[in-house]
Amino acid sequence: MLARIKEFLGMETKPTEEIGAEEEVEKVAEEKPKPRIGYIHLSGCTGDGMSLTENYDILAELLTNMVDIVYGQTLVDLWEMPEMDIALVEGSCCLQDEHSLHELKEVREKAGLVVAFGSCAATGCFTRYSRGGQQAQPAHESFVPIADLVKVDLAIPGCPPSPEIIAKTVVAAINGDMDYLQPMMDLVGYTEACGCDLQLKVVNQALCIGCGTCAMSCQTRALSMTNGRPELNEDRCIKCGICYTQCPRSWWPEERIKQDLGL
Amino acid sequence: MVLGTYKEIVSARSTDKQIQNIAQDGGIVSALLSFALDEKIIEGAVVAGPGDDFWKPKPMVAMSSDEILAAAGTKYTFSPNVWMLKEAVRQYGLEKVGTVAIPCQTMGIRKTQSYPFGVRFLADKIKLVVGIYCMENFPFESLRTFISEKMGVSPELVEKMDIGKGKFWVYTQDDVLSIPLKETHGYEQNGCNVCLDYVAELADVSTGSVGSPDGWSTVITRTDAGDTVFKQAVEAGAIETKSIEDVKPGLGLLQKLSGDKKTKNQKTIDERKAMGLPVPF
Ligand SMILES: Cc1cc2nc3c(=O)[nH]c(=O)nc-3n(C[C@H](O)[C@H](O)[C@H](O)COP(=O)(O)OP(=O)(O)OC[C@H]3O[C@@H](n4cnc5c(N)ncnc54)[C@H](O)[C@@H]3O)c2cc1C
Ligand code: SF4
Ligand code: SF4
Ligand code: SF4
């Protein structure tokens, strides 16, 4: 996986100097061919795509100078899927929908990097609750995260992922900042997410410290804190996996944090 | 780097008599957050406010100095302050938020800032993190065991709690009671046993009691933002300082305690790893 990403980025080592965002944009614009980005919409709600566009400050710069959006319903008027450097795949995949299955396989063939973009693609999110029986396709009942079907390179969970994380990921990918992308490579394996992960993987493992980061980051307010421990309202949980992803006791990017703070 | 990366370490206290009276140590947390509020560096702060039970804190968004002061004093049990940051930004509409955080809470905040997966438009609004030192924390029922069972005091009579000089202290209007820290072992939160951060190494400014005399705090400035705010508060006369070299017990003790915590908990981490249990560090 790492090799594939490095190969795509045409790099072997990480950049050593720290540079500001603006300089980064200019540097990229000058030196590198713009990556061709595709946006593939499976069983998603377009919320992840919307979140991308909420990077108001840098969007114009991003679209004009940093990347080429070469494919994507709602964005580009093109029916044939072209070759892409990065494919952002939104939505889970319905096993009863031949077209979706075909499209996902085609993405894998045509894209250098396949990104599970948003929790539906990464963990299934609330399509995990699908069980068919509805008009006009009563048989459409099984939805799975895309990593169940094809090899995925990066996962960006979130329902939707924040505009900031999308911007940070794109910039890191363009700059070949492997350190920053490492957690996203690791998160590819986190496909069976649930609010109950906090209990199973943190509290049960004697790791919870009652900080409240999980409850803060839950996007549906399914979590509250009782006696210093997360309490899950299962009826509200959409299995996006954000709580466990943001918990400081699940994974800990120490070097990056120190670098970001100048410490 | 037993104390983390820093710019400066001093001994300090609030010059405000009211803060001196109610604060745990030098009142640095209350003074700094109030100063930042007055100077509009922040628009509100998440603090460990009073809860429904005595000594069981509840995180709250303080919008005035009075509310910040109402939360002064250490409560040796969970106050999930990070939880309330979203409330501060969404419900209170704050663009610039301050907070007080023990080291592990600081970790939750900083991870969210570097990797804001699901946390839209929030991470960059956290402008001032005042970290406090922390050796360990206790579930509320552990605290109740110390106070009600071991010391025989009713929690509502307690005016202050403190850990220091090898003992857990409780102050009521008439009495000063204590139990040896040894008696608290086994009652601490388990997650603390793998914690490698004593002095809030990722805060903008960290403060705690160890190193300075009673009524004073040891302050560590770390980030540019933290250093600037602290210096402004000193310049404005809200905080007075002494050189850490001139006070007792001084930096040596702080370094020792921080080093001891790291060594002891690293051992627990290694043991956990040997058992195949997960550890994030
Ligand atoms: C669990 C715990 C363990 C500690 N262990 C040590 C130690 O080993 N060595 C040491 O030197 N100092 C320790 N401290 C810090 C010390 O007790 C004081 O909090 C610190 O010196 C600040 O004092 P102050 O006078 O500046 O703050 P004050 O002006 O009195 O303000 C205290 C601030 O702390 C907040 N607060 C209180 N309880 C909590 C809590 N449980 N969680 C989060 N925020 C809280 C309050 O909201 C308030 O804003 C510990 C604190 C806690 C909460
Ligand atoms: S985020 Fe904090 S409170 Fe939530 S599970 Fe993790 S350690 Fe516990
Ligand atoms: S508890 Fe909230 S954050 Fe966690 S998986 Fe469920 S919906 Fe997502
Ligand atoms: S010892 Fe560490 S984990 Fe425990 S409460 Fe203090 S900062 Fe948090």
Side-chain angles (χ1 to χ4, degrees):
Chain A
M1 201 64 73
L2 189 66
R4 175 168 29 215
I5 295 176
K6 283 190 172 170
E7 185 189 277
F8 153 70
L9 296 165
M11 44 89 63
E12 263 312 312
T13 46
K14 62 187 179 207
T16 44
E17 328 155 48
E18 269 279 298
I19 37 173
E22 238 167 79
E23 290 161 35
E24 247 168 39
V25 170
E26 280 167 22
K27 190 164 163 256
V28 167
E30 276 169 28
E31 291 175 9
K32 289 185 188 152
K34 288 191 269 181
R36 297 160 297 168
I37 297 196
Y39 168 67
I40 285 80
H41 193 277
L42 297 179
S43 295
C45 69
T46 329
D48 307 312
M50 294 281 287
S51 195
L52 164 74
T53 66
E54 281 181 83
N55 280 299
Y56 310 110
D57 299 345
I58 61 160
L59 193 66
E61 190 64 46
L62 186 76
L63 294 184
T64 353
N65 291 329
M66 292 176 78
V67 302
D68 271 333
I69 304 271
V70 294
Y71 182 69
Q73 297 155 16
T74 71
L75 297 174
V76 181
D77 185 14
L78 185 70
W79 285 94
E80 272 299 297
M81 192 186 291
E83 296 279 325
M84 297 162 284
D85 296 308
I86 304 178
L88 301 174
V89 182
E90 168 168 350
S92 59
C93 188
C94 175
L95 296 182
Q96 289 84 20
D97 179 26
E98 244 175 80
H99 177 73
S100 292
L101 287 167
H102 172 80
E103 202 174 356
L104 185 56
K105 282 189 193 126
E106 193 180 358
V107 174
R108 182 63 282 179
E109 281 160 22
K110 297 211 163 138
L113 294 183
V114 172
V115 180
F117 183 40
S119 284
C120 282
T123 70
C125 204
F126 67 90
T127 65
R128 286 288 193 188
Y129 291 99
S130 303
R131 51 211 290 276
Q134 291 186 327
Q135 290 296 355
Q137 296 286 358
H140 283 199
E141 71 172 43
S142 316
F143 293 75
V144 295
I146 62 169
D148 280 10
L149 299 168
V150 294
K151 217 165 193 323
V152 173
D153 301 292
L154 301 169
I156 316 178
C159 184
S162 73
E164 302 99 300
I165 197 78
I166 300 170
K168 279 166 171 258
T169 308
V170 171
V171 171
I174 293 171
N175 284 334
D177 184 349
M178 304 313 296
D179 286 343
Y180 191 74
L181 298 178
Q182 187 61 50
M184 288 145 197
M185 291 184 234
D186 297 338
L187 282 166
V188 167
Y190 182 46
T191 54
E192 293 185 13
C194 172
C196 50
D197 290 341
L198 301 171
Q199 181 66 31
L200 292 174
K201 301 181 180 189
V202 189
V203 180
N204 285 171
Q205 301 295 330
L207 290 172
C208 181
I209 29 80
C211 61
T213 309
C214 50
M216 184 270 278
S217 57
C218 175
Q219 296 178 295
T220 65
R221 292 178 183 263
L223 291 166
S224 53
M225 297 296 294
T226 305
N227 289 325
R229 294 293 175 263
E231 185 170 305
L232 174 66
N233 177 347
E234 280 179 44
D235 293 339
R236 287 188 80 100
C237 175
I238 56 167
K239 297 184 185 285
C240 66
I242 279 305
C243 48
Y244 180 70
T245 301
Q246 304 276 193
C247 168
R249 288 293 173 95
S250 57
W251 51 279
W252 179 239
E254 184 173 12
E255 290 311 313
R256 168 59 54 165
I257 288 171
K258 289 191 170 155
Q259 187 185 321
D260 286 353
L261 291 171
L263 293 177
Chain B
M1 287 303 233
V2 76
L3 300 179
T5 308
Y6 60 85
K7 296 195 191 297
E8 207 182 352
I9 304 185
V10 294
S11 190
R13 71 167 177 185
S14 164
T15 53
D16 185 325
K17 287 273 175 297
Q18 193 197 352
I19 296 184
Q20 285 178 13
N21 284 336
I22 55 170
Q24 185 74 16
D25 298 305
I28 296 302
V29 177
S30 299
L32 213 51
L33 289 176
S34 299
F35 176 79
L37 197 65
D38 291 343
E39 294 299 309
K40 301 191 164 44
I41 295 163
I42 56 172
E43 297 167 345
V46 175
V47 292
D52 300 332
D53 292 308
F54 283 93
W55 294 101
K56 189 175 185 179
K58 200 159 128 186
M60 65 174 269
V61 183
M63 299 290 288
S64 66
S65 295
D66 283 348
E67 285 176 311
I68 289 173
L69 296 199
T74 302
K75 295 93 180 173
Y76 288 98
T77 187
F78 316 134
S79 177
N81 289 354
V82 186
W83 182 23
M84 215 35 66
L85 290 172
K86 187 178 254 176
E87 191 90 357
V89 170
R90 303 277 192 271
Q91 267 61 42
Y92 289 71
L94 305 186
E95 292 286 329
K96 295 181 280 184
V97 186
T99 190
V100 50
I102 47 179
C104 57
Q105 296 176 335
T106 308
M107 294 166 107
I109 295 169
R110 295 311 191 195
K111 180 171 155 182
T112 293
Q113 289 181 315
S114 284
Y115 286 95
F117 279 108
V119 195
R120 60 197 282 113
F121 300 142
L122 191 144
D124 60 327
K125 297 195 168 71
I126 300 162
K127 297 294 184 199
L128 179 62
V129 178
V130 182
I132 49 187
Y133 309 165
C134 178
M135 189 56 83
E136 65 205 344
N137 205 354
F138 300 97
F140 185 64
E141 289 305 315
S142 296
L143 208 56
R144 193 135 76 183
T145 306
F146 308 154
I147 301 168
S148 308
E149 310 301 323
K150 290 183 185 270
M151 298 189 216
V153 196
S154 166
E156 59 262 34
L157 296 177
V158 173
E159 296 190 332
K160 185 174 177 175
M161 286 176 211
D162 202 7
I163 294 179
K165 305 178 183 82
K167 289 182 175 168
F168 187 101
W169 302 86
V170 159
Y171 298 79
T172 65
Q173 208 161 21
D174 315 307
D175 281 318
V176 181
L177 302 150
S178 68
I179 49 170
L181 266 188
K182 252 189 271 148
E183 284 193 38
T184 68
H185 292 336
Y187 285 94
E188 73 276 15
Q189 157 173 255
N190 234 271
C192 295
N193 296 333
V194 297
C195 173
L196 297 171
D197 187 354
Y198 179 52
V199 287
E201 296 180 21
L202 302 175
D204 292 310
V205 185
S206 321
T207 184
S209 64
V210 167
S212 291
D214 285 351
W216 288 74
S217 297
T218 305
V219 180
I220 308 178
T221 67
R222 300 186 183 282
T223 62
D224 291 334
D227 196 53
T228 309
V229 160
F230 183 72
K231 295 221 159 91
Q232 282 174 340
V234 172
E235 210 152 283
I239 290 173
E240 57 180 315
T241 63
K242 284 184 192 174
S243 165
I244 192 74
E245 314 296 332
D246 297 341
V247 302
K248 291 233 148 50
L251 221 47
L253 183 64
L254 191 63
Q255 283 164 336
K256 181 185 179 317
L257 290 185
S258 183
D260 288 352
K261 175 173 178 177
K262 284 177 195 276
T263 312
K264 178 170 144 270
N265 291 350
Q266 185 60 52
K267 208 173 141 233
T268 310
I269 290 173
D270 295 341
E271 284 164 7
R272 282 183 61 99
K273 283 185 178 157
M275 280 192 283
L277 290 170
V279 193
F281 318 117

